[in-house]
Amino acid sequence: MHFIFQPDEENGNGAAAMIADGLFDRFPMSAIFGLHNMPGMPLGHFATQSGAFCAFEDNFEIQIAGQGGHASMPDKGIDPIVTGSAIVLQLQSIVSRSLPASEHAVVSVTEFLTDGARNILPSNVVLRGDCRGFSSEVSATIETRMRAIVEGVCAAQGAAATLKYSTSFRPLKNNPEATATIVSAAREVGSVDAEFGQVGFSEDFAEFLTHRPGAFILMGNGLNGPAAMPLHNASYDFNDDALDQGVAFWVNLAHQST
């Protein structure tokens, strides 16, 4: 058994770098398992599920080129803010009108940047954002519809645009047999929800699972105070009382795997 630490998980580069560095050649293993703490979940409680568990993450950047000018004479230019705003609204129709209701997907515009000023219509707008889902088919549909929306809105407004679309994280899919193993190990520590449902965040651990069977599980960090603040919140704090549960889980898993 090997215990590994995964660096650079947040950027989605750590697992691929470890694999490229010969992780599975230098440390032979037949399966791989991952553990992540979960704020707002009771201490001593674990959660996972077989199959698709964590979402993919796609990223996009839309660069819109209009024709800037004086704010008092918008008819003399091509306002990329109006174009960008129309694109933002239309992107929300991808999930509601282009994907089945049974598919969980999210399209979020997270940045809207311009080179304008108080009395100047900008010449350029940049939109950036994030997409989530659980299958390559959903990812492909989002990208296809996004390109059509950007092209169509810009054509209607007389603007030009370029779209960059990329995948940062693939969906994480737990192996059924490996999931049963981690559920059994977790039950010796506390309570377990083995059919927790899919979660919308993404995990670089998914890259490992394309090379070896395995599974990923969440461990409760507590229900109150900083331990319950959302991940990535500035007030979040890891609950040191969860260390005992985490260590016990790994010990149980090691015993089951030998």
Side-chain angles (χ1 to χ4, degrees):
M1 172 164 284
H2 307 286
F3 189 82
I4 63 175
F5 173 77
Q6 180 185 349
D8 200 21
E9 183 275 329
E10 293 299 339
N11 293 314
N13 300 317
M18 295 173 75
I19 294 167
D21 197 41
L23 171 67
F24 294 117
D25 297 323
R26 297 161 58 189
F27 306 98
M29 59 188 82
S30 58
I32 189 165
F33 301 91
L35 174 69
H36 196 298
N37 86 91
M38 190 65 180
M41 184 181 291
L43 196 65
H45 184 72
F46 294 80
T48 188
Q49 80 162 23
S50 180
F53 187 35
C54 301
F56 67 72
E57 180 188 357
D58 290 349
N59 306 112
F60 62 87
E61 179 178 282
I62 304 168
Q63 298 179 353
I64 305 167
Q67 181 175 304
H70 201 283
S72 68
M73 296 179 286
D75 56 302
K76 303 297 183 183
I78 300 172
D79 189 349
I81 290 182
V82 172
T83 303
S85 298
I87 288 173
V88 171
L89 292 176
Q90 287 299 311
L91 291 181
Q92 303 313 304
S93 71
I94 295 176
V95 172
S96 65
R97 291 297 179 266
S98 298
L99 291 170
S102 58
E103 292 285 358
H104 175 80
V106 176
V107 176
S108 296
V109 177
T110 56
E111 293 182 79
F112 195 126
L113 311 173
T114 83
D115 59 0
R118 180 179 58 82
N119 63 338
I120 300 173
L121 295 178
S123 293
N124 300 285
V125 159
V126 176
L127 305 177
R128 295 193 183 103
D130 178 280
C131 307
R132 308 281 174 144
F134 293 91
S135 71
S136 57
E137 292 78 14
V138 168
S139 174
T141 296
I142 292 174
E143 180 178 3
T144 298
R145 290 294 301 125
M146 186 176 294
R147 292 190 181 281
I149 287 169
V150 170
E151 180 180 346
V153 172
C154 285
Q157 301 285 345
T162 58
L163 168 61
K164 299 177 182 177
Y165 195 96
S166 62
T167 297
S168 296
F169 296 86
R170 66 177 76 234
L172 185 151
K173 298 181 179 180
N174 282 337
N175 173 273
E177 291 77 16
T179 302
T181 299
I182 58 171
V183 167
S184 177
R187 280 209 176 104
E188 296 185 34
V189 181
S191 58
V192 184
D193 185 346
E195 298 180 357
F196 186 66
Q198 297 172 333
V199 294
F201 56 76
S202 303
E203 253 298 330
D204 193 30
F205 186 82
E207 194 69 27
F208 292 134
L209 296 181
T210 65
H211 294 264
R212 294 292 186 277
F216 190 76
I217 194 167
L218 304 176
M219 178 183 69
N221 197 56
L223 295 172
N224 301 303
M229 297 300 291
L231 292 170
H232 297 202
N233 184 284
S235 299
Y236 162 83
D237 189 21
F238 177 74
N239 188 347
D240 291 346
D241 291 337
L243 290 172
D244 290 342
Q245 282 82 16
V247 170
F249 166 79
W250 286 120
V251 171
N252 294 338
L253 186 62
H255 287 162
Q256 292 187 21
S257 302
T258 56

